[in-house]
Amino acid sequence: MFGQIVRAFRLKDQRKNSQKVMPPLAEIQSPPPPPHPCVNIWKLQQTRVARNNISPYLPLAKAALNGDWEKARKFFEQEPNAVRAIVTGASETTLMVAARSVQRSHFIKKLVDVMTPADLAMVDYSGSTALHMAARTGNKHAAKLLVNKNPRLPNIPDNDDLVPLHIAVLCCKKKMVLYLLGVTKEDEKSRPFEDERGRTLLSALIASGFYGVPINKENMENRRNHRGDIEDAADSFMSVPLVKHLRGKKVIHHQALQFVKYLCKEIAQFDYSDAVKILRGPLHMAASIGVHEIVEEILESFPSAVYLTNMEKQTIFHIAIKNRRENVFNIIYQFPGLSHIFFKTPDISMNTGLHLAGLLGDHQRQCLRTCAVGPALQMQRELQWFQEVEKLSVIMDKQQLNDNGKTPVELFNETHLELMEEGEQWMKGTSSSCTIVAALVVTIVFAGAITVPGGNKQDTGLPFFSTRKAFIIFAISDALALFSSTSSLLLLLSIQSSHYAEQDFLSALPRRLICGLVTLFLSILFMMIAFASTLQIVFGDTTYWILVPVIGLACVPVTLFASLQFPRLIDMIKCTYGSGNFCKQSDRPLF
């Protein structure tokens, strides 16, 4: 499919001089193109005229909506010319109304039999034919009936210069797309795969995720020398955010990357200046939104692209740091010994890579919200970014001044002051909430340890049920709940009394919060086990109809706490104790 599209492109200069040509449809009783550029006024005028003449045909429109062929047949017997009459205010014919639904195929078949090929090519106020309607609804059966009667229908564009194939792609009707690709011809008049129509079709195919259609490699190779084909196809790189959306769909993602790889391979054979002109924009856009697959494919096919800069004199690594894109930044590890070259080169504002790591503006804050929950964890992520870039920079970069006379450290301290204050308030608020819960658990389990279930013997002071297994489970779980809740309480109180220095957000505060949440979760879990054991002791083994639902309800608090806090806890553990977000993600050499 993409081979058919790519090989149909022409040079951009030819595209500028091309003229749109409508197919000669002398038989069509449709209004001529508007002489004035105000198309909307023309459409309203035509609609107004149509509405004045549609009253006698309202029964026919209703018959088409209901799929009532008998009623429509009787109408046509009385007035044969009604098959091409306008029946709605949108200048639609009976066939167009019926083609809007996939459930009127029988009606359409009967109607097509009594119409001429020219009748099928009539258009409404927007220039759409009945095949446009069928493509919009995915009515493949109706489309086959129409095309079999008039093979020129797939090449008739509407007022927006879209043929039915465009409509099917934009409406995500894959079966219709596959059918229309086989019947849409590359004629010299409509040119559905060339110029602006070809670019629109290619972008729509990428947007709809239709990568599962086989690519005709032979046809693509036959057009290898047509540079304009690849240049126009490369324009679709501007939809690289859609590739990011497809990551979860492995098959579609693989097919999209195969298409990208083909384009990169072809562009790499151009002259250096032409290749740079084509690849610069897609490369920097992919780096800014974090689509590292496209960045890697471009760098592998055209290694010199790593030195390309944008209008701010920033390389892809400056852009990755600025937009906090770890997956693109990690490509630096595939350039051994060259990291200092990229980071020490200042941009137009004399900011080095370390300056950009220390810069925190509105854009960086927005990027942080997508990868870290809470201001404290965002501050931790910022410190990790600064330390990682600092580790890969030379010593002189740490003293480099930008246009505002700031070193990277000074810029970091100045721009992160507000985030530190927000992180402090977030840490205190979170720890305070958890402290209240931990204190309640301590109170409950301590009271349970003193007043054991069943009471004590008067002569020895030992519990009456000390020999039962349920009592042993109660005693152990109650003790563990007391120890874990007390530990959680102390850890959370230490967060309240912390100095909240800059480096505390890197590991000290997150570790205390992690340990506090883990011990709090364990204390709640052990407390519920102690509660269930107490019920077993009190009610015995004969009242399972009471024990089972009550113990099941006792699991609700544990499950609720885990579902609400575990996602945040897992993120904190990964960032604090894990290998981090910065590592070599591929062994493929790029330079």
Side-chain angles (χ1 to χ4, degrees):
M1 178 181 66
F2 286 116
Q4 183 184 15
I5 299 168
V6 172
R7 67 187 177 84
F9 285 116
R10 293 293 185 266
L11 292 172
K12 290 185 177 180
D13 294 337
Q14 294 177 351
R15 188 171 63 244
K16 294 180 181 178
N17 298 327
S18 62
Q19 298 290 335
K20 292 191 295 183
V21 181
M22 286 287 293
L25 302 174
E27 304 87 354
I28 299 179
Q29 300 179 6
S30 59
H36 193 273
C38 188
V39 179
N40 291 333
I41 294 179
W42 174 77
K43 289 180 179 179
L44 290 175
Q45 292 174 345
Q46 295 298 326
T47 302
R48 195 175 295 115
V49 172
R51 285 173 177 169
N52 293 332
N53 300 323
I54 64 175
S55 297
Y57 301 105
L58 289 179
L60 191 57
K62 292 181 179 180
L65 288 173
N66 298 325
D68 189 351
W69 171 248
E70 289 300 320
K71 186 175 182 180
R73 184 182 58 81
K74 294 178 181 179
F75 197 101
F76 293 143
E77 289 176 352
Q78 297 176 2
E79 188 175 346
N81 291 331
V83 295
R84 62 185 64 88
I86 294 175
V87 299
T88 69
S91 300
E92 295 174 311
T93 64
T94 307
L95 180 61
M96 297 177 188
V97 175
R100 292 200 214 126
S101 174
V102 296
Q103 300 176 353
R104 304 184 191 117
S105 298
H106 176 73
F107 184 94
I108 294 174
K109 183 179 185 302
K110 296 291 185 180
L111 183 58
V112 169
D113 290 339
V114 299
M115 298 179 73
T116 65
D119 295 337
L120 304 185
M122 293 183 66
V123 298
D124 63 1
Y125 81 102
S126 64
S128 299
T129 65
L131 186 57
H132 284 86
M133 308 290 185
R136 187 175 292 112
T137 58
N139 192 344
K140 184 179 175 181
H141 181 69
K144 288 183 177 181
L145 294 173
L146 295 171
V147 175
N148 290 339
K149 186 101 177 196
N150 189 345
R152 293 172 52 244
L153 289 178
N155 290 81
I156 300 178
D158 60 12
N159 291 344
D160 294 325
D161 210 27
L162 302 176
V163 297
L165 177 59
H166 293 96
I167 301 299
V169 173
L170 292 172
C171 295
C172 300
K173 305 297 181 182
K174 189 170 184 178
K175 292 182 179 179
M176 180 64 74
V177 171
L178 295 175
Y179 170 71
L180 291 177
L181 274 173
V183 297
T184 304
K185 302 176 181 178
E186 296 183 37
D187 58 63
E188 294 295 328
K189 296 180 179 180
S190 61
R191 296 181 179 180
F193 302 109
E194 300 181 19
D195 304 327
E196 193 68 29
R197 292 174 187 167
R199 294 208 317 275
T200 301
L201 179 58
L202 184 58
S203 299
L205 286 167
I206 295 176
S208 301
F210 291 160
Y211 298 101
V213 180
I215 298 176
N216 192 331
K217 292 284 188 180
E218 181 180 356
N219 290 337
M220 296 171 75
E221 293 297 329
N222 291 337
R223 298 289 294 182
R224 181 183 295 275
N225 295 325
H226 291 265
R227 180 172 302 175
D229 298 356
I230 306 301
E231 289 180 359
D232 286 341
D235 290 342
S236 65
F237 266 148
M238 303 313 290
S239 24
V240 289
L242 298 164
V243 180
K244 183 178 181 179
H245 174 68
L246 296 173
R247 280 202 181 116
K249 305 176 181 179
K250 293 183 179 180
V251 175
I252 299 178
H253 184 213
H254 173 72
Q255 294 166 346
L257 289 181
Q258 288 297 111
F259 177 62
V260 172
K261 183 179 294 186
Y262 167 78
L263 289 178
C264 292
K265 180 180 178 181
E266 296 299 314
I267 294 171
Q269 300 180 20
F270 294 174
D271 295 336
Y272 179 82
S273 58
D274 293 333
V276 168
K277 182 179 179 181
I278 297 172
L279 292 175
R280 187 193 301 271
L283 176 66
H284 292 152
M285 173 169 286
S288 65
I289 64 176
V291 188
H292 69 93
E293 297 94 339
I294 289 183
V295 176
E296 289 189 27
E297 293 298 338
I298 293 177
L299 295 181
E300 184 178 33
S301 302
F302 192 69
S304 298
V306 72
Y307 297 106
L308 299 181
T309 59
N310 59 10
M311 296 183 64
E312 298 179 2
K313 304 299 181 184
Q314 297 172 343
T315 65
I316 57 171
F317 299 110
H318 291 88
I319 296 173
I321 297 172
K322 179 181 177 181
N323 293 278
R324 303 300 192 260
R325 304 300 182 186
E326 296 93 342
N327 48 7
V328 177
F329 176 83
N330 287 337
I331 297 177
I332 193 68
Y333 298 109
Q334 296 171 240
F335 293 85
L338 296 178
S339 59
H340 64 281
I341 297 178
F342 301 117
F343 293 153
K344 77 176 183 179
T345 304
D347 62 6
I348 196 171
S349 300
M350 294 303 295
N351 287 318
T352 63
L354 197 55
H355 280 98
L356 295 176
L359 177 65
L360 182 65
D362 294 336
H363 179 68
Q364 287 76 20
R365 289 293 296 269
Q366 186 66 30
C367 294
L368 282 174
R369 291 190 183 99
T370 62
C371 59
V373 180
L377 301 182
Q378 293 171 10
M379 185 65 188
Q380 182 192 42
R381 184 65 60 88
E382 284 292 283
L383 288 167
Q384 291 172 345
W385 262 105
F386 192 80
Q387 287 189 357
E388 190 66 22
V389 178
E390 185 179 32
K391 184 171 61 177
L392 298 175
S393 303
V394 296
I395 297 180
M396 296 301 297
D397 291 348
K398 302 176 183 179
Q399 305 300 325
Q400 179 74 31
L401 300 178
N402 61 8
D403 283 349
N404 296 324
K406 302 289 185 181
T407 64
V409 175
E410 292 173 344
L411 184 62
F412 184 92
N413 294 334
E414 179 180 327
T415 58
H416 287 77
L417 184 61
E418 182 180 353
L419 183 60
M420 284 182 59
E421 294 177 354
E422 294 177 1
E424 179 180 352
Q425 295 300 321
W426 185 86
M427 271 287 184
K428 289 183 176 179
T430 304
S431 60
S432 296
S433 301
C434 295
T435 299
I436 296 174
V437 178
L440 290 175
V441 175
V442 170
T443 304
I444 294 172
V445 296
F446 184 77
I450 296 175
T451 57
V452 295
N456 301 322
K457 298 178 181 179
Q458 295 293 333
D459 52 349
T460 61
L462 295 175
F464 282 106
F465 304 106
S466 58
T467 58
R468 296 183 59 176
K469 291 182 179 180
F471 185 86
I472 297 175
I473 295 175
F474 163 79
I476 295 175
S477 58
D478 190 80
L480 291 175
L482 180 61
F483 297 151
S484 57
S485 60
T486 304
S487 301
S488 176
L489 186 61
L490 295 175
L491 288 168
L492 295 172
L493 288 175
S494 67
I495 295 177
Q496 296 286 333
S497 59
S498 176
H499 295 292
Y500 289 95
E502 196 174 83
Q503 293 299 319
D504 290 344
F505 288 94
L506 184 61
S507 59
L509 290 174
R511 286 178 180 175
R512 294 177 189 177
L513 185 58
I514 290 171
C515 294
L517 289 175
V518 170
T519 52
L520 180 59
F521 173 76
L522 292 176
S523 66
I524 296 175
L525 177 62
F526 291 134
M527 181 181 67
M528 291 296 102
I529 295 175
F531 172 72
S533 302
T534 303
L535 292 180
Q536 174 68 19
I537 294 172
V538 173
F539 291 100
D541 299 331
T542 59
T543 54
Y544 283 109
W545 63 276
I546 297 178
L547 292 176
V548 173
V550 173
I551 293 175
L553 291 174
C555 298
V556 173
V558 180
T559 306
L560 187 62
F561 182 85
S563 61
L564 294 176
Q565 298 296 333
F566 259 41
R568 181 190 303 178
L569 184 61
I570 296 300
D571 290 339
M572 286 191 293
I573 292 174
K574 288 181 178 179
C575 294
T576 306
Y577 295 101
S579 57
N581 301 292
F582 307 99
C583 60
K584 188 176 182 180
Q585 57 193 14
S586 176
D587 293 327
R588 179 170 59 173
L590 296 177
F591 193 79

